[in-house]
Amino acid sequence: MKEILKVDSVTKTFRLTSKQQRQRKLDQKVLTAVDNLSFTAYEGEIFGLLGPNGAGKTTTLRMLSTLIKPDSGDALINGLSIVKQPAEVRRNIGFLTSDVKLEDFFTPDYLFDFFSDMHSVPDDVRKERKETLFKRFGIDKFSQVKVADLSTGMKQKTSLVVSLAHDPDIIIFDEPTNGLDVITAKVVTDFLGELRQSGKTVIISTHIFSLIEKVCDRVGIIIDGKMIKCSSLDEITAEKSLEDVFFELYRERKGDEI
C-alpha cells in the first residue's frame, strides 16, 4: 500500500489561563494536548482516531490541516511537510470540522464557487463537480438559499461539499457525524465509503464506536494525547468488541476513572 500520511512524533502544548486551570482542575499552567504522537495512513483507506473528549483528536487534525503548528515533530502528507510546506499541504487536503462556521448570508452555490476559486479549479471542472456533489447530497434544491435559512443537516452537507470542491487526495473530517440526525449521518457515512472506493485517503476523529466499526480500516486509540493502540480494526477487535478494548485500555491508563 502507498503511504499517504506519516505523522512523526508530533507534540502540541497550550498555556492555560487561571480560569481554564480551575475549570479543568489542574495545577499546571501548560496542557499537553498531543504528546509525541505517531501514526501512518495509506492510500484508499479510512483511518479513525478514537478517543474521549479532550483526548487530543481535534488538535491533531488541526495540526495535520496546518491550522496550528506542532511544537515539535512533523507530518508528511503526500510527501509534503505540514511544518515546512503548509500551503502545498492545503492544496492536497480537504478539512471538515464543526468548528468552521459558514457565513449566514452566503448560499451553497456561492460558497462552492468561492472555495473552487481559492484552489484555482477550472470553470468547466467546477461546474461539473458542483452539479455532481449538489445532486448527490440534495443541495441542488437549496443552492440559492442563504446558509442562515438551511437546516443543520443541510449546513453540514454544504460544509462537506465545499471542503471537497478541489477534489483532494486526502480528506480530514473532525467528528463527521456529530450533531447530525440519523438520515444525514447515514448520507455522510455512506459517502465516506465512496471516497475510499475512489482511492481517497480519509482521516476521521470520533468518540463513536459504531462509526469506527462501520467505516474504518484502521484505528488509533488516543487518550491524554498519546497513541495507546494503533492497528487494523480486525486485529484490534479479533477477540473483543471495540468498546470493550477501548475501556480496558482506558482503565489501564486512567485507573477506575470512568
Side-chain angles (χ1 to χ4, degrees):
M1 292 186 294
K2 180 182 178 182
E3 184 180 278
I4 297 294
L5 168 66
K6 183 176 180 59
V7 181
D8 185 13
S9 304
V10 293
T11 295
K12 184 65 181 179
T13 60
F14 295 100
R15 181 166 294 277
L16 301 176
T17 64
S18 297
K19 181 179 180 180
Q20 289 171 327
Q21 285 180 266
R22 291 193 299 271
Q23 289 174 337
R24 294 173 178 266
K25 299 180 181 179
L26 296 173
D27 295 327
Q28 67 267 29
K29 293 184 178 181
V30 175
L31 173 68
T32 301
V34 177
D35 191 355
N36 199 38
L37 193 71
S38 299
F39 65 92
T40 303
Y42 300 94
E43 184 177 44
E45 78 168 7
I46 301 178
F47 182 95
L49 272 180
L50 174 67
N53 292 338
K57 305 186 302 297
T58 294
T59 299
T60 298
L61 297 193
R62 285 176 175 171
M63 286 190 286
L64 297 182
S65 303
T66 73
L67 296 181
I68 57 176
K69 288 185 177 181
D71 296 343
S72 60
D74 200 354
L76 299 180
I77 295 179
N78 272 342
L80 300 168
S81 165
I82 63 170
V83 175
K84 299 177 181 178
Q85 300 162 288
E88 289 87 345
V89 167
R90 286 192 287 272
R91 284 194 283 269
N92 280 263
I93 67 170
F95 180 49
L96 176 65
T97 173
S98 58
D99 290 340
V100 176
K101 305 299 182 184
L102 302 177
E103 292 290 348
D104 284 346
F105 45 87
F106 291 138
T107 66
D109 186 75
Y110 174 86
L111 287 167
F112 192 92
D113 289 348
F114 176 80
F115 279 89
S116 296
D117 288 341
M118 279 182 58
H119 292 283
S120 302
V121 179
D123 289 347
D124 57 334
V125 175
R126 177 187 65 190
K127 181 179 178 181
E128 181 179 355
R129 188 156 177 77
K130 184 199 297 184
E131 289 177 357
T132 299
L133 288 172
F134 276 30
K135 183 177 180 180
R136 171 67 179 80
F137 287 95
I139 301 173
D140 47 349
K141 299 176 183 178
F142 302 91
S143 64
Q144 300 302 325
V145 177
K146 290 183 179 180
V147 167
D149 298 322
L150 296 175
S151 67
T152 300
M154 192 57 64
K155 289 177 183 178
Q156 181 79 337
K157 288 190 283 188
T158 300
S159 296
L160 170 62
V161 164
V162 299
S163 72
L164 301 176
H166 56 305
D167 195 21
D169 292 327
I170 182 167
I171 300 99
I172 302 172
F173 290 157
D174 186 20
E175 301 282 0
T177 60
N178 189 35
L180 298 182
D181 63 83
V182 293
I183 302 300
T184 306
K186 177 169 173 49
V187 170
V188 172
T189 54
D190 287 350
F191 188 62
L192 294 178
E194 293 174 19
L195 289 171
R196 173 174 53 196
Q197 290 175 1
S198 67
K200 306 293 185 183
T201 301
V202 183
I203 312 296
I204 68 170
S205 73
T206 186
H207 60 276
I208 302 173
F209 300 114
S210 59
L211 178 60
I212 293 286
E213 291 171 325
K214 181 176 181 180
V215 305
C216 290
D217 302 290
R218 296 171 60 244
V219 58
I221 296 176
I222 180 173
I223 301 173
D224 293 336
K226 290 182 176 291
M227 186 67 78
I228 305 302
K229 193 174 185 67
C230 184
S231 188
S232 71
L233 185 61
D234 289 341
E235 290 177 351
I236 288 180
T237 60
E239 298 179 357
K240 301 176 182 178
S241 70
L242 180 61
E243 183 176 1
D244 287 342
V245 171
F246 173 82
F247 281 113
E248 282 186 6
L249 295 170
Y250 189 86
R251 289 188 183 95
E252 289 175 6
R253 175 78 186 175
K254 310 281 282 187
D256 294 329
E257 182 186 326
I258 293 182

